[in-house]
Each structure stands twice: as structure tokens, then as C-alpha cells.
Amino acid sequence: MLDLELLRSFVSVIEAGGFTRASERVHRTQSTVSQQIKRLEEDVGQVLLHRDGKDVRPTEAGERLLSYARRLLTLAEEARDVLREEGEGAIRLGIPEDFAAYRLAKLLGAFARSHPNLRLDVRADQSKNLARDLERGELDLALYKREAGGKEAIAVWPEQVHWVTSKSHPVDINVPSVPLIGFPLGCLYRAGAIHALESAGRAWHMSYMSSSLAGIQAAVAAGMGLSILSEMSIQSDHRVLTAKDGFAPINRTEVALMAAPNASSATLRLADRLAEFCEDVQAKAA
């Protein structure tokens, strides 16, 4: 029996002309696609691709398999379309809270309406929890924040984060102990803020801690302390601090889109929508 996922990656590599573009098509990492081709070659006992640097082309055996692979994938898609009438199942999606509070809710609502037989289970949480639960198989798809340079993902976008204070009631930045506002222990931003302050020899204390983004935004606006927020979370009653104000730069962070290894076609369609959304956010921030 030939594995359809392996055949899909095989066809994508040939049609895309390489592993990098193929990985984007099938929403897998480049290393995963390479491993899938290796498994397929082991299954059929033939070398299927000539690899010459970034250039990839089918061998004679690969050309013979290609037409069969396309036909098998077409039949499989037809079967899915027939069965889809009875329900598409469920997608368990994890997103950071600031994305949930942004325009992403409209996108998810539109996706749910266009797939009436699909149940969408969305959870907004800290990124460390989303990454952990995706690894455990408790999520099908996750959009989460991490330090730059993490493992390969479907897509990755650099994130703009800033120190912020209140516009109306700014905190005295020269106080002996900097009052911090942040999420509970384990938050990427909190860790970055503490590391930046300690690297600069500054004392600090937590003046306000909340698991709610809205609570943190309100505390900053009220002048209870300084915080680190993503660009999309900064409000009109906040003021951005810079290096000129005496603060060390924060370690680079990024937003990663990751899917479970056995992600369904519906999950991958949602991944496409999320990728388009993040590209739009990135373009507007540039």
C-alpha cells in the first residue's frame, strides 16, 4: 500500500521544483518532506528523484510513479468530498490572546461559516502552553510566539515588541526598582523584560500580574508600571519607550504557525487562512 501523504509530498516536490517550495505547499517542514521522500523510495525500492543542489528532477522510476500518484491523490480527494457531506470533524486551534483580541476572531468566524459541518475549537492561551499541547497532540494547529530561530514551522514571522508606559501617567524610569506589569511566570515577554533589566543592572519588581491581556493593557494605561507588548496590542493611551529612554533591547521574538503531523485537509485549509492573515499583519507593520 502506498501512503497518500508520501505521494502528495512526492508530487509537490516535482511540481514545485524543489523541497523548499514543496514544503510550503504541503504545510510541512523541509526536513519532514525530505524524510517522506526517503520513506517513499524505501517503500518502492527505487530512487525517485535526482538531487543536484537545490535542483530536483524525477528519475525514470519517478516519472513512471508520477502519473499513478496524481491519479491516486485525485481519487482520494473525490472520496473525501463524498464523505465530507457527513461532517468534516473538528479542528483544535490554539492562538495567543493578543491575536484573539485582534482581527483574527472575524477570520475564524468566516471560516466556521464556510464550513458548517466542521467544529472549530479555539483556545487562547500563553504560547508556552500552546507549544506544549501541540507537541502532546492536544491541538491540531497552533499559532504561538517563541524566541527567534526555533525549529522549522509552516511559516514564521518576526514580531515587533516594545517597552510601553502610560501616556497620561508615565512611570518614572529612573526609580531604583522598575515596576513591571506582565503575564504569569513562563511568559516570553516577561522573561525578556527581566533579562533586559538585569543585563542593564536594573532592579525590578512585579507591580501587576495578570493572565488577561486586557488587564495588562489597563494597568499600563493607569501608570502602574512598565510592560512589553506586541505592536498590535499597544493602545492609544500607551507610550512606547526606546533605547534613548535607557532600556536594553529585547531579545528577538517571532510568531510561528505549526500543525500536528497528522493534520487533516481542513486543518491545512485553515492554516492557509492564518498564514494570509499573518502576512497581512506583517505587511501593515512594515
Side-chain angles (χ1 to χ4, degrees):
M1 297 292 291
L2 294 174
D3 189 311
L4 292 176
E5 289 301 319
L6 304 186
L7 292 177
R8 181 173 290 105
S9 293
F10 169 68
V11 172
S12 295
V13 169
I14 294 176
E15 291 181 344
F19 286 89
T20 300
R21 289 188 294 275
S23 65
E24 295 171 355
R25 285 192 179 192
V26 298
H27 303 286
R28 295 288 187 269
T29 64
Q30 185 174 336
S31 60
T32 297
V33 172
S34 180
Q35 291 170 5
Q36 288 178 325
I37 299 303
K38 183 178 179 181
R39 284 174 51 197
L40 182 60
E41 289 178 329
E42 290 173 351
D43 286 348
V44 300
Q46 298 277 354
V47 176
L48 300 173
L49 298 175
H50 289 300
R51 299 167 176 84
D52 183 13
K54 293 184 178 180
D55 295 329
V56 177
R57 65 184 191 280
T59 62
E60 184 177 341
E63 290 180 351
R64 289 198 301 268
L65 178 61
L66 182 60
S67 63
Y68 288 101
R70 285 172 171 155
R71 286 155 58 188
L72 287 169
L73 291 172
T74 298
L75 284 172
E77 189 61 34
E78 289 177 2
R80 289 193 193 96
D81 289 341
V82 171
L83 296 175
R84 196 170 289 151
E85 297 176 0
E86 299 178 7
E88 294 183 270
I91 299 176
R92 300 165 299 171
L93 169 67
I95 56 175
E97 187 177 358
D98 52 354
F99 275 76
Y102 200 50
R103 300 188 309 273
L104 191 54
K106 293 183 179 179
L107 180 152
L108 296 175
F111 183 85
R113 287 190 296 273
S114 65
H115 297 75
N117 296 322
L118 175 67
R119 192 180 79 242
L120 191 57
D121 297 337
V122 183
R123 175 160 61 87
D125 202 344
Q126 285 194 55
S127 290
K128 65 165 188 171
N129 297 333
L130 300 178
R132 177 200 64 203
D133 291 347
L134 181 68
E135 192 75 23
R136 290 177 175 177
E138 296 173 8
L139 289 173
D140 303 305
L141 187 65
L143 186 70
Y144 61 83
K145 304 177 183 193
R146 66 186 190 182
E147 292 185 1
K151 62 182 180 180
E152 289 185 274
I154 292 174
V156 173
W157 301 270
E159 188 180 35
Q160 299 295 322
V161 296
H162 305 276
W163 284 99
V164 291
T165 186
S166 171
K167 183 176 288 186
S168 302
H169 312 285
V171 174
D172 181 359
I173 59 178
N174 296 312
V175 293
S177 178
V178 177
L180 284 182
I181 298 171
F183 287 97
L185 189 65
C187 171
L188 187 64
Y189 292 172
R190 172 177 169 149
I194 292 172
H195 176 74
L197 290 173
E198 292 184 345
S199 296
R202 302 288 301 273
W204 59 274
H205 66 277
M206 293 302 300
S207 63
Y208 188 95
M209 184 172 65
S210 173
S211 58
S212 163
L213 174 62
I216 289 174
Q217 290 170 321
V220 171
M224 295 186 65
L226 308 183
S227 188
I228 291 177
L229 292 175
S230 64
E231 197 159 278
M232 68 171 64
S233 301
I234 297 173
Q235 299 182 323
S236 60
D237 48 6
H238 298 160
R239 181 170 74 86
V240 174
L241 298 172
T242 68
K244 293 181 180 179
D245 296 301
F247 288 87
I250 304 302
N251 290 336
R252 293 186 306 119
T253 61
E254 61 188 18
V255 178
L257 179 61
M258 305 280 285
N262 59 344
S264 66
S265 58
T267 299
L268 297 180
R269 287 198 298 275
L270 178 56
D272 285 337
R273 304 294 188 278
L274 291 173
E276 291 171 5
F277 171 85
C278 291
E279 290 290 352
D280 180 59
V281 171
Q282 182 72 11
K284 290 181 178 179

